[in-house]
Amino acid sequence: MPSIDFDESATIGDPGSIAQVTDTPPTPIGLTINSGAVEVASTGSLSVVTSPNVGGSGGATINANGRISVASGGSFSSVNLTVNGALEMGSTANVSASQGITFNGGSTFSPQLTSSSFNAISTPGPITLLGGTVSLDFGYTPSPSDTWDVFDGGSVVGNMPEVEVNSGLTLDPWQKFAIRTSAGGANGAVGTLQLEDRVVLSINRSTGVGTITNMSGGAIDLDGYVIESGLGSINPAAFNSFSSQSLDGGSWGEFGELVNESIGELRREGITSLAPGASRSIGAVFDPTVTELGTDYEDLSFSYTNEQYDSIGGVVVYEGNKKFNNLVLNVNPVTGDAVLVNESPLSITIDGYAVKSASGALLTGGWSSLEDQGAAGGDWLEIGANSGQLGELKAAGATVLTQGTSYNLGAIFNTAGEEDLTLEFFFADEDAAPSFGVVSYEEPAGAISGDYNGNGIVDAADYTIFRDSLGGSAAAFADGTRNPGLSGPVGTADYEWWRDNFGASGAVVSSAGAVPEPLSMLLGCFALTGLASRRRGVVA
């Protein structure tokens, strides 16, 4: 390790290079990690210090592909610390800077939480949070009231808005971790990591209706809210605001211009306290306009303010069966039947497709190809089929798939195999590589796990049934919606079953649709890999 005795700085630039500190090495006057890592063990202590001979010395910088890891018991210090990459800390590690610390956008801070206490990153100077992600690993099961002071500085400004849980804890759908700043600590200001209950915006995919709900066990204050969409997926004309409904004594007022990108309102006086389980519909506000195939138009964001005017990120939940803006292969995982369908609002003109399986999970004996069906004038030609691939090309013309057009391809999926099917297709009149489709494994129609009221969607209403039945009989549950492994009184396991299926819906695989008229031709090979997903409710 370079030493202050020679006014030396250390730079790590090899992606595979890891400098391990297990004791107290010489102190460099600068440290830059461009790639690779510095790992300080529990017995190690690394300091970056100022040299009287070199102005601006004493700084440490972790760049985008770099990492510093400080194990519990170990220590790392510098004059200034700038994080563009990753900083990992054990719960009793000591990380400090004498003048200031900055986390830039793209940075990742990973505290390892093994108890209700944590040694905060410390500096008498400012701690500036300009974005980035907090990535949590839990080594114990925390109580809901546990909080952790993770930053302790002369000031703590900004925020790291993305807080994700990697391991050790499963959150309720309405819960998120956040960092809140306040006065205190050894240096004057602290950033505290805490678990918060958030208001939920539920969007019904079929109707577009939005519902604002408090799904937590306590009241949540609401003084204003805004819903935004970068793609313009909002229908302001359908917005049935609190103001329009004259709620809370008519004290709400819409603000700004209501447009496809943003709607919202503020309470002019007083505060709205949403009781546990309280819901308010705001109309069919979700109505995306699609202009480009493949774009995921489910991009709504929802934030609200409380009585202190804190801006809080709410939770957006899309309920029901997701419609992909793409060509989709819907696979029934029980029967193996597959349906090719255009779920996009746009028309798709194709002259070839291929379904692939890296594990060999395709069945050719039950394949009902477009050639077999005589689809599009009977001019489709099968391309060699086996357990790894099947597909067809158009001998002449092309096929136009309007929204909802579908073809049943038969039982092509081996239900005992891996769910690794991929879909590729060729646009007509394009000399280009295959495009990516989507493979969705749809659960067959019938009782839906966790849908305790049997309305076809696992949502807040099912939680209400669970809560009202807690400790008693499951007689109020719709048939087939309870975990088949459970019996006896309704308890925590019933809640977990609902939580794990929250947002899901049943799906009915459509049968073959109308045969479009013939159009163009394709020459090419099937080469790329498509997307695969299992239909579930999506929590943003």
Side-chain angles (χ1 to χ4, degrees):
M1 180 68 70
S3 170
I4 188 177
D5 297 334
F6 303 100
D7 287 338
E8 293 177 322
S9 296
T11 299
I12 298 177
D14 184 349
S17 177
I18 298 178
Q20 295 184 328
V21 179
T22 58
D23 51 18
T24 305
T27 53
I29 64 169
L31 174 63
T32 301
I33 307 175
N34 294 318
S35 294
V38 171
E39 296 181 347
V40 182
S42 59
T43 55
S45 178
L46 177 62
S47 297
V48 182
V49 299
T50 301
S51 167
N53 304 317
V54 181
S57 58
T61 300
I62 311 170
N63 282 324
N65 296 315
R67 174 175 61 91
I68 289 181
S69 177
V70 186
S72 287
S75 66
F76 174 83
S77 64
S78 61
V79 177
N80 293 289
L81 175 60
T82 301
V83 184
N84 302 303
L87 174 61
E88 301 172 352
M89 284 182 60
S91 59
T92 62
N94 293 285
V95 175
S96 62
S98 59
Q99 294 185 4
I101 299 170
T102 300
F103 285 83
N104 288 314
S107 62
T108 301
F109 171 47
S110 300
Q112 296 168 356
L113 303 174
T114 57
S115 70
S116 57
S117 63
F118 183 82
N119 280 358
I121 297 174
S122 178
T123 177
I127 296 179
T128 306
L129 308 176
L130 300 177
T133 300
V134 180
S135 181
L136 304 178
D137 287 309
F138 284 90
Y140 81 116
T141 301
S143 67
S145 60
D146 284 353
T147 61
W148 304 266
D149 290 342
V150 293
F151 300 121
D152 186 335
S155 63
V156 179
V157 296
N159 199 6
M160 300 184 77
E162 298 297 326
V163 183
E164 60 186 28
V165 178
N166 284 333
S167 64
L169 186 65
T170 301
L171 301 181
D172 291 320
W174 57 85
Q175 291 181 319
K176 285 191 174 184
F177 279 100
I179 294 176
R180 300 297 177 194
T181 59
S182 61
N187 297 295
V190 294
T192 302
L193 178 70
Q194 60 190 49
L195 185 62
E196 298 178 345
D197 291 331
R198 303 288 183 89
V199 179
V200 176
L201 171 66
S202 300
I203 299 293
N204 185 302
R205 287 186 169 115
S206 297
T207 64
V209 170
T211 304
I212 293 175
T213 305
N214 175 13
M215 299 178 66
S216 74
I220 299 179
D221 290 341
L222 191 66
D223 191 56
Y225 68 90
V226 62
I227 302 168
E228 296 178 292
S229 167
L231 295 175
S233 298
I234 298 172
N235 181 5
F239 182 32
N240 188 19
S241 64
F242 296 172
S243 174
S244 299
Q245 300 176 56
S246 299
L247 298 177
D248 304 317
S251 58
W252 286 89
E254 299 170 1
F255 68 84
E257 183 181 0
L258 302 180
V259 294
N260 298 105
E261 291 79 21
S262 178
I263 55 175
E265 52 186 331
L266 293 170
R267 182 160 178 175
R268 292 185 292 265
E269 56 185 34
I271 189 77
T272 293
S273 180
L274 283 181
S279 294
R280 293 182 173 185
S281 173
I282 56 172
V285 296
F286 183 61
D287 185 20
T289 299
V290 179
T291 59
E292 184 177 354
L293 188 71
T295 301
D296 187 351
Y297 46 76
E298 293 185 348
D299 72 330
L300 297 185
S301 65
F302 168 58
S303 59
Y304 60 95
T305 55
N306 57 19
E307 192 172 15
Q308 290 74 42
Y309 302 108
D310 295 324
S311 180
I312 301 170
V315 177
V316 179
V317 175
Y318 295 94
E319 297 178 338
N321 192 35
K322 180 178 176 66
K323 293 296 183 183
F324 295 96
N325 177 28
N326 211 328
L327 186 63
V328 180
L329 185 72
N330 288 329
V331 180
N332 185 323
V334 176
T335 65
D337 287 323
V339 174
L340 187 68
V341 58
N342 176 17
E343 293 192 354
S344 171
L346 305 175
S347 293
I348 305 174
T349 302
I350 68 169
D351 45 19
Y353 74 91
V355 181
K356 294 183 178 181
S357 168
S359 66
L362 289 170
L363 299 174
T364 60
W367 181 27
S368 177
S369 67
L370 300 182
E371 180 182 353
D372 293 335
Q373 299 176 45
D379 49 7
W380 282 88
L381 298 175
E382 295 180 7
I383 304 300
N386 53 52
S387 62
Q389 173 179 295
L390 55 82
E392 298 180 80
L393 299 175
K394 197 85 162 71
T399 293
V400 178
L401 303 176
T402 58
Q403 182 180 17
T405 299
S406 61
Y407 295 96
N408 193 328
L409 301 182
I412 64 171
F413 175 61
N414 183 348
T415 58
E418 294 184 28
E419 294 182 354
D420 68 345
L421 302 191
T422 60
L423 173 65
E424 306 162 8
F425 64 95
F426 287 89
F427 286 111
D429 302 323
E430 288 189 12
D431 295 326
S435 296
F436 300 110
V438 174
V439 176
S440 176
Y441 297 88
E442 292 192 347
E443 295 184 352
I448 303 164
S449 298
D451 179 24
Y452 295 145
N453 65 0
N455 70 344
I457 300 175
V458 183
D459 57 11
D462 303 302
Y463 172 74
T464 300
I465 290 179
F466 154 76
R467 183 189 62 202
D468 294 346
S469 303
L470 187 61
S473 167
F477 290 8
D479 290 344
T481 62
R482 194 184 196 193
N483 185 333
L486 298 178
S487 60
V490 174
T492 303
D494 291 286
Y495 160 75
E496 292 172 347
W497 188 244
W498 166 82
R499 179 194 64 199
D500 293 344
N501 290 283
F502 182 62
S505 75
V508 178
V509 178
S510 57
S511 60
V515 179
E517 59 186 301
L519 293 174
S520 128
M521 151 146 204
L522 158 80
L523 292 175
C525 60
F526 301 116
L528 297 182
T529 302
L531 297 173
S533 70
R534 176 175 289 278
R535 291 190 189 266
R536 288 290 185 266
V538 179
V539 178

